[in-house]
Amino acid sequence: MEKLRIAVQKSGRLSEKSLALFSECGISLEGGNGRLLAASPDFPIEVLYLRDDDIPQYVYDGVADIGVVGENVVWEKGKTLETALKLGFGKCRLSLAIPKAEEYKGVSYFQGKRIATSYPNILTKFLNENKLTAEIHEISGSVEIAPGIGLADSIFDIVSSGSTLFSNNLKEVEVIVNSEAVMVSHKTLSDAKRKILNDLIFRIQSVQKAKKNKYILLNAPNNKINDIINILPGMKSPSIVPLAKEGWSSLHSVIAEKDFWEVIEKLKQSGAEGILVVPIEKMIV
Ligand code: PRT
Ligand code: ZN
């Protein structure tokens, strides 16, 4: 039987979350880390462990059918790949940063400057779009130390919390692009592989939806139930179960977690009691 071959980062920031994605979908993998290839006994996939920089090329060449990688790496490598799904983790931005003490008035600052980066292609595109010329110094790691040792005037690098910039006396002055981990796929897949990919996407989306929603249970006097239904946003036909206590019911529904904290006080004021909010494991809608 055909298997879908998925490239994931061998060890790094995306590795653990990429593998968690499969286990949350009920897909286990045989063979621990240290191996190049691992198969699943319960789903027709195999996982190929690679350096993240190599993933776009492997998927482009069809050595892997799909890959889990940061958008930043896909853009830098410039390979035409289909984005099958955004994954919501590995979020970061690619930014220009300069020494803290420097005055900054706009992108013209970078005209004629030396910029250190591991992302020369994305940077070149930005400079061209802004009709700027600068000297790009490509380095593969610890870009943030370049200005301090006199190798460059500024840097173009990944930022997430900003603490690396801060501790190197740099300030972020332009966010060029935001990135997150994505599932990319080879341009053409056999029908069998396309079907496996669609099944996998379906499972991942069920897990993603479940994470964003909670199951809510609460008790309320019957005469308050209508008020409570109106408070709960996005409520689709809640279940109402009578309690043994006369004139009271239990109300069950699904609520987006982000909405919950906004409505909790209103729910209490409307007479809701014994509110329980429980996680949902999978959600098929
Ligand atoms: O060995 P391999 O080549 O596979 O891994 P790698 O070392 O090239 O990549 P890795 O594991 O560091 O990152 C993998 C992917 O994670 C990146 O391509 C991004 O898509 C994503 N990501 C998310 C990040 C960050 N957040 C991040 N903060 N990648 C790197 N960083 C770096 C950043 O450059 C900075 O130097 O982490 C440092 C800390 O960031 P702050 O701003 O939180 O201080
Ligand atoms: Zn890398």
Side-chain angles (χ1 to χ4, degrees):
M1 191 166 115
E2 251 186 308
K3 287 185 175 187
L4 189 74
R5 187 180 280 179
I6 308 174
V8 303
Q9 191 186 24
K10 184 172 169 58
S11 72
R13 278 166 211 272
L14 302 182
S15 308
E16 209 175 292
K17 286 193 171 146
S18 305
L19 295 178
L21 202 65
F22 303 127
S23 71
E24 285 166 349
C25 291
I27 301 170
S28 56
L29 290 168
E30 277 170 346
N33 237 342
R35 288 224 204 153
L36 181 64
L37 200 63
S40 170
D42 38 38
F43 196 76
I45 60 163
E46 52 188 9
V47 168
L48 184 61
Y49 296 104
L50 299 173
R51 286 204 52 191
D52 68 345
D53 315 69
D54 295 333
I55 293 176
Q57 182 76 49
Y58 272 66
V59 176
Y60 183 78
D61 291 341
V63 178
D65 300 305
I66 65 172
V68 176
V69 65
E71 288 174 300
N72 52 307
V73 177
V74 179
W75 293 324
E76 179 61 25
K77 301 294 172 189
K79 299 281 175 235
T80 319
L81 302 170
E82 244 178 68
T83 298
L85 194 62
K86 292 206 174 209
L87 297 170
F89 60 84
K91 287 191 176 170
C92 56
R93 50 198 192 270
L94 276 164
S95 296
L96 283 159
I98 65 172
K100 221 176 266 174
E102 290 278 301
E103 196 185 347
Y104 185 76
K105 287 184 176 155
V107 291
S108 62
Y109 175 91
F110 293 98
Q111 177 60 37
K113 290 281 196 305
R114 297 170 303 160
I115 311 172
T117 189
S118 311
Y119 294 88
N121 294 326
I122 299 174
L123 177 57
T124 301
K125 186 164 172 276
F126 170 80
L127 293 172
N128 289 344
E129 280 167 8
N130 287 278
K131 301 193 168 47
L132 295 168
T133 39
E135 229 179 87
I136 298 177
H137 286 257
E138 184 177 351
I139 46 178
S140 57
S142 304
V143 172
E144 64 281 356
I145 66 167
I149 59 171
L151 186 69
D153 306 302
S154 54
I155 67 165
F156 176 60
D157 198 12
I158 294 179
V159 182
S160 96
S161 68
S163 67
T164 301
L165 294 183
F166 185 80
S167 53
N168 285 279
N169 274 314
L170 298 169
K171 60 179 176 188
E172 187 177 9
V173 291
E174 296 286 341
V175 177
I176 307 309
V177 73
N178 289 295
S179 170
E180 68 181 87
V182 285
M183 188 173 266
V184 286
S185 99
H186 185 66
K187 272 204 310 275
T188 52
L189 293 179
S190 68
D191 289 349
K193 286 183 175 178
R194 176 71 56 191
K195 170 150 191 340
I196 302 167
L197 176 57
N198 288 341
D199 287 351
L200 180 63
I201 290 173
F202 176 78
R203 289 194 188 196
I204 294 172
Q205 285 177 329
S206 304
V207 172
Q208 285 176 335
K209 272 187 213 125
K211 279 188 187 163
K212 286 187 191 142
N213 289 281
K214 300 282 173 206
Y215 194 72
I216 180 168
L217 306 94
L218 56 86
N219 297 332
N222 288 344
N223 61 351
K224 299 288 174 138
I225 291 214
N226 278 343
D227 294 351
I228 288 172
I229 290 175
N230 288 331
I231 294 166
L232 289 174
M235 168 92 66
K236 274 188 225 148
S237 194
S239 312
I240 298 168
V241 184
L243 291 183
K245 188 173 170 187
E246 187 69 27
W248 280 70
S249 295
S250 172
L251 195 148
H252 304 186
S253 191
V254 171
I255 181 171
E257 190 179 26
K258 66 174 176 39
D259 297 331
F260 175 75
W261 297 106
E262 278 177 41
V263 300
I264 177 80
E265 265 315 307
K266 286 192 202 158
L267 286 174
K268 287 198 292 188
Q269 278 161 18
S270 300
E273 289 180 11
I275 303 170
L276 291 180
V277 179
V278 292
I280 300 171
E281 199 180 273
K282 310 271 188 319
M283 199 167 146
I284 322 293
V285 286

